[in-house]
Amino acid sequence: MYRKVIFPVDLSHIDQLTKALATAADLAKHYGAEICYVGVTGEAPAPGARSPADYADKLAAFASEQASKHGVTTASKACVSHDPSVDTDKTLMSAINELGGDLVVMQTHAPSAMDYIWAGHGDTIAAHADVSVFLVR
């Protein structure tokens, strides 16, 4: 049913993704699908990476760790944005389409009052993606 699972990941919040990572791995095993971890970074140095190339290396290492941990096939794609705080959703949507993913698995949070003003990334992706989106709380 699924052949490529796209998992948007923020490397600075790995500790908050445990449940969604396990869900994606379980689905990938069940369907024999690949998981592609997609991250968005800026062009300027950031606390997690000195450059886009450094970020890509860290994301690839994370994907490799997940493959070993869960026994699934993984890949990674680091996307560079001029301003990740503004265009992360647009950048993720482009990556989902480019990679040909047929399922997106994302960690999300419980809704709060602020979500009525600014939608979270998961809400936006679920509303606009042409593929199934599984939001994990």
PDB file of all heavy atoms in Angstrom, residues 80-99:
ATOM      1  N   VAL A  80      17.280  23.348   1.855  1.00  0.00           N
ATOM      2  CA  VAL A  80      17.791  24.646   2.284  1.00  0.00           C
ATOM      3  C   VAL A  80      16.751  25.713   1.965  1.00  0.00           C
ATOM      4  O   VAL A  80      16.237  25.780   0.857  1.00  0.00           O
ATOM      5  CB  VAL A  80      19.132  24.975   1.600  1.00  0.00           C
ATOM      6  CG1 VAL A  80      19.651  26.327   2.050  1.00  0.00           C
ATOM      7  CG2 VAL A  80      20.150  23.885   1.879  1.00  0.00           C
ATOM      8  N   SER A  81      16.461  26.535   2.966  1.00  0.00           N
ATOM      9  CA  SER A  81      15.477  27.597   2.830  1.00  0.00           C
ATOM     10  C   SER A  81      16.143  28.931   3.166  1.00  0.00           C
ATOM     11  O   SER A  81      17.001  28.994   4.044  1.00  0.00           O
ATOM     12  CB  SER A  81      14.318  27.331   3.794  1.00  0.00           C
ATOM     13  OG  SER A  81      13.503  28.464   3.917  1.00  0.00           O
ATOM     14  N   HIS A  82      15.716  29.984   2.491  1.00  0.00           N
ATOM     15  CA  HIS A  82      16.244  31.315   2.817  1.00  0.00           C
ATOM     16  C   HIS A  82      15.796  31.742   4.211  1.00  0.00           C
ATOM     17  O   HIS A  82      16.530  32.403   4.929  1.00  0.00           O
ATOM     18  CB  HIS A  82      15.795  32.350   1.779  1.00  0.00           C
ATOM     19  CG  HIS A  82      16.360  32.098   0.421  1.00  0.00           C
ATOM     20  ND1 HIS A  82      17.685  32.248   0.133  1.00  0.00           N
ATOM     21  CD2 HIS A  82      15.774  31.666  -0.723  1.00  0.00           C
ATOM     22  CE1 HIS A  82      17.900  31.935  -1.130  1.00  0.00           C
ATOM     23  NE2 HIS A  82      16.756  31.580  -1.667  1.00  0.00           N
ATOM     24  N   ASP A  83      14.575  31.344   4.594  1.00  0.00           N
ATOM     25  CA  ASP A  83      14.049  31.703   5.907  1.00  0.00           C
ATOM     26  C   ASP A  83      13.149  30.568   6.407  1.00  0.00           C
ATOM     27  O   ASP A  83      11.937  30.581   6.178  1.00  0.00           O
ATOM     28  CB  ASP A  83      13.265  33.007   5.829  1.00  0.00           C
ATOM     29  CG  ASP A  83      12.857  33.525   7.201  1.00  0.00           C
ATOM     30  OD1 ASP A  83      13.073  32.818   8.216  1.00  0.00           O
ATOM     31  OD2 ASP A  83      12.310  34.651   7.260  1.00  0.00           O
ATOM     32  N   PRO A  84      13.734  29.570   7.086  1.00  0.00           N
ATOM     33  CA  PRO A  84      12.937  28.424   7.540  1.00  0.00           C
ATOM     34  C   PRO A  84      11.755  28.797   8.435  1.00  0.00           C
ATOM     35  O   PRO A  84      10.739  28.101   8.440  1.00  0.00           O
ATOM     36  CB  PRO A  84      13.940  27.569   8.315  1.00  0.00           C
ATOM     37  CG  PRO A  84      15.264  27.962   7.788  1.00  0.00           C
ATOM     38  CD  PRO A  84      15.140  29.415   7.426  1.00  0.00           C
ATOM     39  N   SER A  85      11.847  29.893   9.175  1.00  0.00           N
ATOM     40  CA  SER A  85      10.738  30.267  10.051  1.00  0.00           C
ATOM     41  C   SER A  85       9.505  30.679   9.254  1.00  0.00           C
ATOM     42  O   SER A  85       8.391  30.620   9.761  1.00  0.00           O
ATOM     43  CB  SER A  85      11.153  31.397  10.997  1.00  0.00           C
ATOM     44  OG  SER A  85      11.452  32.567  10.265  1.00  0.00           O
ATOM     45  N   VAL A  86       9.698  31.060   8.000  1.00  0.00           N
ATOM     46  CA  VAL A  86       8.589  31.503   7.169  1.00  0.00           C
ATOM     47  C   VAL A  86       8.141  30.436   6.172  1.00  0.00           C
ATOM     48  O   VAL A  86       6.942  30.228   5.981  1.00  0.00           O
ATOM     49  CB  VAL A  86       8.970  32.798   6.402  1.00  0.00           C
ATOM     50  CG1 VAL A  86       7.902  33.181   5.406  1.00  0.00           C
ATOM     51  CG2 VAL A  86       9.230  33.922   7.376  1.00  0.00           C
ATOM     52  N   ASP A  87       9.086  29.759   5.517  1.00  0.00           N
ATOM     53  CA  ASP A  87       8.680  28.862   4.442  1.00  0.00           C
ATOM     54  C   ASP A  87       8.959  27.379   4.673  1.00  0.00           C
ATOM     55  O   ASP A  87       9.086  26.626   3.724  1.00  0.00           O
ATOM     56  CB  ASP A  87       9.216  29.323   3.086  1.00  0.00           C
ATOM     57  CG  ASP A  87      10.654  29.754   3.080  1.00  0.00           C
ATOM     58  OD1 ASP A  87      11.010  30.511   3.969  1.00  0.00           O
ATOM     59  OD2 ASP A  87      11.405  29.364   2.178  1.00  0.00           O
ATOM     60  N   THR A  88       8.978  26.937   5.924  1.00  0.00           N
ATOM     61  CA  THR A  88       9.171  25.506   6.185  1.00  0.00           C
ATOM     62  C   THR A  88       8.060  24.677   5.556  1.00  0.00           C
ATOM     63  O   THR A  88       8.328  23.653   4.912  1.00  0.00           O
ATOM     64  CB  THR A  88       9.256  25.225   7.700  1.00  0.00           C
ATOM     65  OG1 THR A  88      10.481  25.791   8.183  1.00  0.00           O
ATOM     66  CG2 THR A  88       9.247  23.744   8.009  1.00  0.00           C
ATOM     67  N   ASP A  89       6.813  25.087   5.712  1.00  0.00           N
ATOM     68  CA  ASP A  89       5.695  24.306   5.158  1.00  0.00           C
ATOM     69  C   ASP A  89       5.798  24.188   3.641  1.00  0.00           C
ATOM     70  O   ASP A  89       5.630  23.100   3.084  1.00  0.00           O
ATOM     71  CB  ASP A  89       4.352  24.933   5.542  1.00  0.00           C
ATOM     72  CG  ASP A  89       4.096  24.896   7.034  1.00  0.00           C
ATOM     73  OD1 ASP A  89       4.619  23.979   7.712  1.00  0.00           O
ATOM     74  OD2 ASP A  89       3.375  25.774   7.533  1.00  0.00           O
ATOM     75  N   LYS A  90       6.078  25.294   2.979  1.00  0.00           N
ATOM     76  CA  LYS A  90       6.198  25.289   1.520  1.00  0.00           C
ATOM     77  C   LYS A  90       7.379  24.407   1.088  1.00  0.00           C
ATOM     78  O   LYS A  90       7.272  23.639   0.126  1.00  0.00           O
ATOM     79  CB  LYS A  90       6.383  26.722   1.008  1.00  0.00           C
ATOM     80  CG  LYS A  90       6.473  26.832  -0.499  1.00  0.00           C
ATOM     81  CD  LYS A  90       6.508  28.278  -0.944  1.00  0.00           C
ATOM     82  CE  LYS A  90       7.890  28.837  -0.720  1.00  0.00           C
ATOM     83  NZ  LYS A  90       8.094  30.174  -1.251  1.00  0.00           N
ATOM     84  N   THR A  91       8.470  24.479   1.815  1.00  0.00           N
ATOM     85  CA  THR A  91       9.652  23.677   1.503  1.00  0.00           C
ATOM     86  C   THR A  91       9.355  22.194   1.702  1.00  0.00           C
ATOM     87  O   THR A  91       9.738  21.358   0.875  1.00  0.00           O
ATOM     88  CB  THR A  91      10.842  24.117   2.369  1.00  0.00           C
ATOM     89  OG1 THR A  91      11.057  25.527   2.179  1.00  0.00           O
ATOM     90  CG2 THR A  91      12.100  23.363   2.015  1.00  0.00           C
ATOM     91  N   LEU A  92       8.656  21.856   2.791  1.00  0.00           N
ATOM     92  CA  LEU A  92       8.287  20.453   3.028  1.00  0.00           C
ATOM     93  C   LEU A  92       7.341  19.940   1.946  1.00  0.00           C
ATOM     94  O   LEU A  92       7.493  18.812   1.469  1.00  0.00           O
ATOM     95  CB  LEU A  92       7.640  20.292   4.406  1.00  0.00           C
ATOM     96  CG  LEU A  92       8.570  20.408   5.603  1.00  0.00           C
ATOM     97  CD1 LEU A  92       7.756  20.375   6.901  1.00  0.00           C
ATOM     98  CD2 LEU A  92       9.613  19.303   5.600  1.00  0.00           C
ATOM     99  N   MET A  93       6.362  20.735   1.557  1.00  0.00           N
ATOM    100  CA  MET A  93       5.433  20.316   0.503  1.00  0.00           C
ATOM    101  C   MET A  93       6.170  20.045  -0.800  1.00  0.00           C
ATOM    102  O   MET A  93       5.887  19.056  -1.483  1.00  0.00           O
ATOM    103  CB  MET A  93       4.352  21.390   0.287  1.00  0.00           C
ATOM    104  CG  MET A  93       3.328  21.477   1.387  1.00  0.00           C
ATOM    105  SD  MET A  93       2.369  19.966   1.613  1.00  0.00           S
ATOM    106  CE  MET A  93       1.625  19.802   0.014  1.00  0.00           C
ATOM    107  N   SER A  94       7.124  20.886  -1.136  1.00  0.00           N
ATOM    108  CA  SER A  94       7.916  20.668  -2.350  1.00  0.00           C
ATOM    109  C   SER A  94       8.692  19.363  -2.264  1.00  0.00           C
ATOM    110  O   SER A  94       8.756  18.594  -3.230  1.00  0.00           O
ATOM    111  CB  SER A  94       8.889  21.826  -2.575  1.00  0.00           C
ATOM    112  OG  SER A  94       8.194  22.996  -2.882  1.00  0.00           O
ATOM    113  N   ALA A  95       9.280  19.093  -1.098  1.00  0.00           N
ATOM    114  CA  ALA A  95      10.051  17.857  -0.921  1.00  0.00           C
ATOM    115  C   ALA A  95       9.153  16.628  -1.007  1.00  0.00           C
ATOM    116  O   ALA A  95       9.531  15.626  -1.621  1.00  0.00           O
ATOM    117  CB  ALA A  95      10.783  17.885   0.418  1.00  0.00           C
ATOM    118  N   ILE A  96       7.973  16.685  -0.403  1.00  0.00           N
ATOM    119  CA  ILE A  96       7.033  15.554  -0.460  1.00  0.00           C
ATOM    120  C   ILE A  96       6.694  15.242  -1.910  1.00  0.00           C
ATOM    121  O   ILE A  96       6.725  14.088  -2.336  1.00  0.00           O
ATOM    122  CB  ILE A  96       5.757  15.869   0.357  1.00  0.00           C
ATOM    123  CG1 ILE A  96       6.083  15.925   1.848  1.00  0.00           C
ATOM    124  CG2 ILE A  96       4.660  14.846   0.073  1.00  0.00           C
ATOM    125  CD1 ILE A  96       5.000  16.585   2.702  1.00  0.00           C
ATOM    126  N   ASN A  97       6.396  16.271  -2.687  1.00  0.00           N
ATOM    127  CA  ASN A  97       6.061  16.082  -4.102  1.00  0.00           C
ATOM    128  C   ASN A  97       7.259  15.588  -4.904  1.00  0.00           C
ATOM    129  O   ASN A  97       7.137  14.683  -5.726  1.00  0.00           O
ATOM    130  CB  ASN A  97       5.506  17.373  -4.693  1.00  0.00           C
ATOM    131  CG  ASN A  97       4.169  17.746  -4.083  1.00  0.00           C
ATOM    132  OD1 ASN A  97       3.387  16.887  -3.692  1.00  0.00           O
ATOM    133  ND2 ASN A  97       3.910  19.036  -3.988  1.00  0.00           N
ATOM    134  N   GLU A  98       8.409  16.184  -4.673  1.00  0.00           N
ATOM    135  CA  GLU A  98       9.631  15.812  -5.406  1.00  0.00           C
ATOM    136  C   GLU A  98      10.035  14.363  -5.130  1.00  0.00           C
ATOM    137  O   GLU A  98      10.445  13.643  -6.034  1.00  0.00           O
ATOM    138  CB  GLU A  98      10.765  16.751  -5.009  1.00  0.00           C
ATOM    139  CG  GLU A  98      12.099  16.407  -5.625  1.00  0.00           C
ATOM    140  CD  GLU A  98      13.218  17.247  -5.037  1.00  0.00           C
ATOM    141  OE1 GLU A  98      12.979  18.425  -4.684  1.00  0.00           O
ATOM    142  OE2 GLU A  98      14.339  16.728  -4.925  1.00  0.00           O
ATOM    143  N   LEU A  99       9.922  13.948  -3.867  1.00  0.00           N
ATOM    144  CA  LEU A  99      10.355  12.604  -3.487  1.00  0.00           C
ATOM    145  C   LEU A  99       9.347  11.520  -3.850  1.00  0.00           C
ATOM    146  O   LEU A  99       9.668  10.338  -3.798  1.00  0.00           O
ATOM    147  CB  LEU A  99      10.638  12.554  -1.978  1.00  0.00           C
ATOM    148  CG  LEU A  99      11.823  13.387  -1.517  1.00  0.00           C
ATOM    149  CD1 LEU A  99      11.801  13.542   0.003  1.00  0.00           C
ATOM    150  CD2 LEU A  99      13.125  12.750  -1.985  1.00  0.00           C
TER     151      LEU A  99
END
